[in-house]
PDB file of all heavy atoms in Angstrom:
ATOM      1  N   SER A 609     -63.876  62.639 -73.303  1.00 98.00           N
ATOM      2  CA  SER A 609     -63.934  62.015 -71.949  1.00 98.00           C
ATOM      3  C   SER A 609     -65.089  62.515 -71.116  1.00 98.00           C
ATOM      4  O   SER A 609     -65.806  61.697 -70.435  1.00 98.00           O
ATOM      5  CB  SER A 609     -62.615  62.291 -71.207  1.00 98.00           C
ATOM      6  OG  SER A 609     -62.204  63.618 -71.345  1.00 98.00           O
ATOM      7  N   ILE A 610     -65.378  63.820 -71.174  1.00 98.00           N
ATOM      8  CA  ILE A 610     -66.478  64.314 -70.299  1.00 98.00           C
ATOM      9  C   ILE A 610     -67.797  63.722 -70.700  1.00 98.00           C
ATOM     10  O   ILE A 610     -68.606  63.387 -69.830  1.00 98.00           O
ATOM     11  CB  ILE A 610     -66.452  65.863 -70.292  1.00 98.00           C
ATOM     12  CG1 ILE A 610     -67.376  66.417 -69.178  1.00 98.00           C
ATOM     13  CG2 ILE A 610     -66.790  66.447 -71.635  1.00 98.00           C
ATOM     14  CD1 ILE A 610     -67.241  67.896 -68.940  1.00 98.00           C
ATOM     15  N   LEU A 611     -68.038  63.574 -71.972  1.00 98.00           N
ATOM     16  CA  LEU A 611     -69.319  63.088 -72.439  1.00 98.00           C
ATOM     17  C   LEU A 611     -69.510  61.578 -72.149  1.00 98.00           C
ATOM     18  O   LEU A 611     -70.553  61.140 -71.671  1.00 98.00           O
ATOM     19  CB  LEU A 611     -69.568  63.345 -73.938  1.00 98.00           C
ATOM     20  CG  LEU A 611     -69.597  64.850 -74.298  1.00 98.00           C
ATOM     21  CD1 LEU A 611     -69.865  64.981 -75.854  1.00 98.00           C
ATOM     22  CD2 LEU A 611     -70.638  65.616 -73.542  1.00 98.00           C
ATOM     23  N   LEU A 612     -68.443  60.834 -72.392  1.00 98.00           N
ATOM     24  CA  LEU A 612     -68.505  59.374 -72.184  1.00 98.00           C
ATOM     25  C   LEU A 612     -68.772  59.020 -70.692  1.00 98.00           C
ATOM     26  O   LEU A 612     -69.343  57.972 -70.352  1.00 98.00           O
ATOM     27  CB  LEU A 612     -67.232  58.697 -72.587  1.00 98.00           C
ATOM     28  CG  LEU A 612     -66.999  58.596 -74.121  1.00 98.00           C
ATOM     29  CD1 LEU A 612     -65.612  58.001 -74.351  1.00 98.00           C
ATOM     30  CD2 LEU A 612     -68.035  57.756 -74.794  1.00 98.00           C
ATOM     31  N   ASN A 613     -68.308  59.906 -69.825  1.00 98.00           N
ATOM     32  CA  ASN A 613     -68.473  59.627 -68.375  1.00 98.00           C
ATOM     33  C   ASN A 613     -69.898  59.831 -67.864  1.00 98.00           C
ATOM     34  O   ASN A 613     -70.282  59.195 -66.859  1.00 98.00           O
ATOM     35  CB  ASN A 613     -67.505  60.473 -67.597  1.00 98.00           C
ATOM     36  CG  ASN A 613     -67.606  60.168 -66.089  1.00 98.00           C
ATOM     37  OD1 ASN A 613     -67.495  58.975 -65.710  1.00 98.00           O
ATOM     38  ND2 ASN A 613     -67.778  61.166 -65.247  1.00 98.00           N
ATOM     39  N   ILE A 614     -70.651  60.678 -68.487  1.00 98.00           N
ATOM     40  CA  ILE A 614     -72.009  61.006 -67.922  1.00 98.00           C
ATOM     41  C   ILE A 614     -72.904  59.738 -67.876  1.00 98.00           C
ATOM     42  O   ILE A 614     -73.485  59.512 -66.779  1.00 98.00           O
ATOM     43  CB  ILE A 614     -72.689  62.141 -68.726  1.00 98.00           C
ATOM     44  CG1 ILE A 614     -71.766  63.305 -68.907  1.00 98.00           C
ATOM     45  CG2 ILE A 614     -74.029  62.511 -68.136  1.00 98.00           C
ATOM     46  CD1 ILE A 614     -71.637  64.320 -67.790  1.00 98.00           C
ATOM     47  N   PRO A 615     -72.981  58.888 -68.884  1.00 98.00           N
ATOM     48  CA  PRO A 615     -73.779  57.701 -68.740  1.00 98.00           C
ATOM     49  C   PRO A 615     -73.260  56.798 -67.585  1.00 98.00           C
ATOM     50  O   PRO A 615     -74.102  56.149 -66.933  1.00 98.00           O
ATOM     51  CB  PRO A 615     -73.640  57.007 -70.084  1.00 98.00           C
ATOM     52  CG  PRO A 615     -73.185  58.044 -71.009  1.00 98.00           C
ATOM     53  CD  PRO A 615     -72.407  59.037 -70.244  1.00 98.00           C
ATOM     54  N   GLN A 616     -71.964  56.788 -67.398  1.00 98.00           N
ATOM     55  CA  GLN A 616     -71.478  55.941 -66.293  1.00 98.00           C
ATOM     56  C   GLN A 616     -71.898  56.422 -64.931  1.00 98.00           C
ATOM     57  O   GLN A 616     -72.236  55.629 -64.019  1.00 98.00           O
ATOM     58  CB  GLN A 616     -69.907  55.954 -66.231  1.00 98.00           C
ATOM     59  CG  GLN A 616     -69.232  55.544 -67.536  1.00 98.00           C
ATOM     60  CD  GLN A 616     -67.730  55.381 -67.343  1.00 98.00           C
ATOM     61  OE1 GLN A 616     -67.180  54.408 -67.844  1.00 98.00           O
ATOM     62  NE2 GLN A 616     -67.031  56.320 -66.734  1.00 98.00           N
ATOM     63  N   GLN A 617     -72.040  57.706 -64.772  1.00 98.00           N
ATOM     64  CA  GLN A 617     -72.543  58.266 -63.522  1.00 98.00           C
ATOM     65  C   GLN A 617     -73.989  57.875 -63.274  1.00 98.00           C
ATOM     66  O   GLN A 617     -74.394  57.375 -62.189  1.00 98.00           O
ATOM     67  CB  GLN A 617     -72.529  59.811 -63.514  1.00 98.00           C
ATOM     68  CG  GLN A 617     -71.168  60.430 -63.637  1.00 98.00           C
ATOM     69  CD  GLN A 617     -71.229  61.930 -63.856  1.00 98.00           C
ATOM     70  OE1 GLN A 617     -72.224  62.456 -64.374  1.00 98.00           O
ATOM     71  NE2 GLN A 617     -70.140  62.639 -63.597  1.00 98.00           N
ATOM     72  N   ILE A 618     -74.788  57.999 -64.315  1.00 98.00           N
ATOM     73  CA  ILE A 618     -76.229  57.702 -64.186  1.00 98.00           C
ATOM     74  C   ILE A 618     -76.425  56.214 -63.964  1.00 98.00           C
ATOM     75  O   ILE A 618     -77.262  55.777 -63.151  1.00 98.00           O
ATOM     76  CB  ILE A 618     -76.991  58.197 -65.511  1.00 98.00           C
ATOM     77  CG1 ILE A 618     -76.747  59.675 -65.640  1.00 98.00           C
ATOM     78  CG2 ILE A 618     -78.469  57.881 -65.369  1.00 98.00           C
ATOM     79  CD1 ILE A 618     -77.218  60.226 -67.026  1.00 98.00           C
TER      80      ILE A 618
END
Side-chain angles (χ1 to χ4, degrees):
S609 45
I610 190 167
L611 297 182
L612 288 174
N613 183 50
I614 310 281
Q616 301 191 136
Q617 298 172 337
I618 302 169

